[in-house]
Amino acid sequence: MSGHSKWHNIQGRKNAQDAKRGKIFQKLAHDLYVAAKAGGAEPDLNASLRLVIEKAKSANMPKDNIQRALDKASGAGGKKFEEVTYEGYGTAGVAILVETSTDNINRTVSSIRNSFKHFGGALGTSGSVAFQFDRKGYLAIDREAFPDLDEDTILEAALEAGADDVQTQDDVFEIFTQPSDFQQVEGALTEAGYAFADSEVTMISQNPMTISDDDREKLDKLVDELEENEDVLAVYTTAD
């Protein structure tokens, strides 16, 4: 890994987003969908899904929202959902990936294109920016929650569980895995008594770029609007 802290980006956006309940539910819906797609929509048979459902309930996410995410993943309800990833550029040339699950591609692409235009960006062609990201499993352990945990101990535990890398930040230990190993690593570390401040399979920028405060503000508005789209599962950018 490059040494870049994904947690820095998470916290930066959380400062603006955590006050918005819908943003929390959107993130949980994404995690529910991903967990159900990877291991099935039955919580009794899917440990990762059980963990996300517990998070959703703790956040008072409505049962209908939880079920809707599971139905999308399983294809229940008679609707056929397709997973489509859109690629484009935002302000200052920041590359953007938008992952969606939709039953109406024409509606989705039109809405996403309008959001890009609204904030000075543009959709690109397939493959135009995806090469700038790597898909990784990601887990963060809050160091305040485990004050006696040292780098060597978590490194040994994570590698034994099947992780690729561990990075130590001021406030968290960041653990990276192959997507196929994510559930195994998460399950093993959970059984070992660790809890996670964040855990997901995500896209990580290979070369994060620093942008000005003005450009950051414009980019955040674009990302916010994209994330408000009910077809959008996740938005990733190359901004630091």
Side-chain angles (χ1 to χ4, degrees):
M1 303 302 298
S2 64
H4 170 71
S5 172
K6 175 175 168 57
W7 185 252
H8 172 77
N9 279 352
I10 291 173
Q11 288 301 95
R13 287 193 56 73
K14 276 181 178 289
N15 290 339
Q17 291 180 352
D18 275 353
K20 302 177 183 179
R21 196 175 186 187
K23 293 294 182 182
I24 299 172
F25 291 167
Q26 192 271 348
K27 171 65 166 59
L28 288 167
H30 167 259
D31 292 347
L32 287 164
Y33 178 90
V34 171
K37 286 290 286 186
E42 292 294 333
D44 291 342
L45 304 176
N46 186 339
S48 291
L49 180 59
R50 285 201 303 274
L51 289 174
V52 182
I53 290 176
E54 289 173 7
K55 289 181 186 177
K57 290 179 177 178
S58 296
N60 295 317
M61 187 176 186
K63 290 183 179 179
D64 287 348
N65 293 40
I66 295 174
Q67 192 60 50
R68 187 158 53 247
L70 299 182
D71 287 346
K72 271 193 173 186
S74 64
K79 289 186 177 181
K80 181 181 178 181
F81 288 91
E82 297 182 64
E83 294 180 35
V84 184
T85 298
Y86 298 96
E87 305 176 36
Y89 289 93
T91 184
V94 173
I96 302 174
L97 281 182
V98 185
E99 293 182 344
T100 71
S101 177
T102 177
D103 62 339
N104 188 325
I105 290 177
N106 290 334
R107 177 195 67 215
T108 302
V109 69
S110 176
S111 176
I112 289 175
R113 182 181 291 111
N114 287 337
S115 292
F116 272 87
K117 285 184 177 179
H118 189 193
F119 294 101
L123 278 181
T125 57
S126 178
S128 58
V129 305
F131 66 92
Q132 300 182 51
F133 297 84
D134 292 319
R135 185 172 290 279
K136 292 284 185 180
Y138 174 81
L139 305 107
I141 296 177
D142 186 348
R143 297 185 67 176
E144 287 190 2
F146 296 87
D148 296 327
L149 181 61
D150 60 64
E151 184 175 4
D152 289 340
T153 300
I154 190 57
L155 177 63
E156 180 179 1
L159 294 181
E160 285 185 355
D164 288 345
D165 188 27
V166 176
Q167 294 180 14
T168 302
Q169 309 297 341
D170 290 340
D171 43 5
V172 294
F173 293 110
E174 295 184 304
I175 301 166
F176 298 89
T177 80
Q178 292 300 309
S180 58
D181 296 332
F182 173 75
Q183 288 190 356
Q184 169 190 315
V185 175
E186 182 183 43
L189 292 178
T190 298
E191 288 183 7
Y194 298 107
F196 306 108
D198 193 58
S199 61
E200 59 182 339
V201 175
T202 185
M203 299 294 285
I204 297 177
S205 172
Q206 296 172 357
N207 297 294
M209 59 186 293
T210 300
I211 59 177
S212 69
D213 290 343
D214 286 344
D215 286 335
R216 167 64 68 180
E217 183 177 356
K218 293 175 185 176
L219 178 65
D220 284 349
K221 287 180 179 179
L222 168 56
V223 172
D224 284 346
E225 184 165 304
L226 289 169
E227 289 180 338
E228 288 170 1
N229 188 321
E230 64 178 10
D231 297 328
V232 171
L233 294 172
V235 181
Y236 308 103
T237 81
T238 54
D240 192 351

